[in-house]
Amino acid sequence: GAVVSQHPSWVICKSGTSVKIECRSLDFQATTMFWYRQFPKQSLMLMATSNEGSKATYEQGVEKDKFLINHASLTLSTLTVTSAHPEDSSFYICSAQPAGVNTEAFFGQGTRLTVV
Amino acid sequence: AQKVTQAQTEISVVEKEDVTLDCVYETRDTTYYLFWYKQPPSGELVFLIRRNSFDEQNEISGRYSWNFQKSTSSFNFTITASQVVDSAVYFCALSGADNYGQNFVFGPGTRLSVLP
């Protein structure tokens, strides 16, 4: 099946710094990618839809100035957590699907962010 | 609005027992997709099944089987002869037909522990 790769798998950063997470579709092009957040022992919640070449669409309650999304190419979307705080500590996971193909979405392996 | 309910927060069984994980969904869409994902402790999401709303056939894949009942809006998942490696959190998810069903609403998850 198609492969979606996230980098890094885990990251620890200090409060106030910014962290960038990459989501790459390795063997297919994806015009749309999705970013989810999962707090410990909770479900996955959609944060935003990343659209290649245009602005991301954010879900209600998600601060777009804090969670910057860039989808500059058909194989790469990035999520930057700006001015991170301990409450941003979470598991972030992306998904993507080959453009125009009716298949299931493929998820990255996730990034565990810890803000200290 | 779309919603997925997994009433069982945690289930513990002894190896070789059968176990059924319940999933009830709500949607106003006539076309939608239902999914089951497994999330082991490492965090990645493992795709198990995708079913569209027009296909009510039950499915069996090895020790796994799924019962889709549109009349009760349920999509239950049964593991036969459970094994310790089945221990994980299992998520049921729902998606509309946009983008071939990429935009997921996840249930809260059921944590399955299979004891030796």
Side-chain angles (χ1 to χ4, degrees):
Chain A
V3 177
V4 175
S5 176
Q6 265 184 258
H7 178 80
S9 297
W10 60 270
V11 58
I12 301 174
C13 72
K14 292 184 177 180
S15 288
T17 61
S18 296
V19 174
K20 180 184 286 188
I21 302 170
E22 294 185 347
C23 178
R24 292 182 185 273
S25 55
L26 297 186
D27 50 2
F28 65 94
Q29 294 183 332
T31 54
T32 305
M33 294 184 178
F34 297 85
W35 287 96
Y36 296 83
R37 179 169 55 184
Q38 184 182 28
F39 291 110
K41 296 195 175 183
Q42 293 189 26
S43 189
L44 291 85
M45 299 297 292
L46 179 66
M47 298 175 66
T49 303
S50 172
N51 303 298
E52 188 269 334
S54 64
K55 292 183 179 180
T57 305
Y58 291 82
E59 295 299 301
Q60 192 172 9
V62 178
E63 300 173 59
K64 61 181 180 181
D65 294 330
K66 180 168 185 60
F67 298 99
L68 300 179
I69 292 174
N70 185 287
H71 194 152
S73 78
L74 287 171
T75 59
L76 173 64
S77 174
T78 60
L79 168 67
T80 301
V81 183
T82 63
S83 188
H85 289 121
E87 55 264 33
D88 298 325
S89 298
S90 186
F91 189 66
Y92 293 87
I93 191 165
C94 69
S95 74
Q97 186 187 41
V101 178
N102 192 354
T103 69
E104 78 274 14
F106 299 95
F107 285 85
Q109 72 270 38
T111 298
R112 194 166 300 281
L113 170 64
T114 302
V115 184
V116 298
Chain B
Q2 296 182 324
K3 183 179 178 181
V4 176
T5 301
Q6 294 177 254
Q8 305 141 310
T9 304
E10 295 190 30
I11 301 177
S12 287
V13 298
V14 177
E15 209 170 15
K16 296 185 183 177
E17 286 185 359
D18 299 346
V19 59
T20 295
L21 309 182
D22 297 333
C23 173
V24 174
Y25 62 93
E26 295 176 29
T27 181
R28 294 179 181 172
D29 292 345
T30 53
T31 302
Y32 52 88
Y33 296 88
L34 294 164
F35 303 78
W36 275 95
Y37 283 88
K38 173 182 180 180
Q39 187 178 44
S42 53
E44 80 274 17
L45 286 176
V46 178
F47 169 80
L48 297 178
I49 190 170
R50 181 180 79 149
R51 178 53 49 86
N52 76 53
S53 51
F54 298 107
D55 183 3
E56 285 194 72
Q57 275 192 328
N58 292 328
E59 183 159 337
I60 298 176
S61 176
R63 296 185 296 109
Y64 297 167
S65 63
W66 291 269
N67 185 309
F68 180 21
Q69 298 273 349
K70 217 169 175 178
S71 59
T72 56
S73 298
S74 66
F75 187 43
N76 296 337
F77 171 35
T78 297
I79 301 175
T80 303
S82 59
Q83 300 175 2
V84 173
V85 294
D86 295 329
S87 298
V89 179
Y90 289 85
F91 291 100
C92 180
L94 167 70
S95 181
D98 292 346
N99 291 313
Y100 301 112
Q102 297 188 64
N103 188 342
F104 293 89
V105 173
F106 284 88
T110 297
R111 184 175 299 276
L112 174 65
S113 298
V114 181
L115 307 175

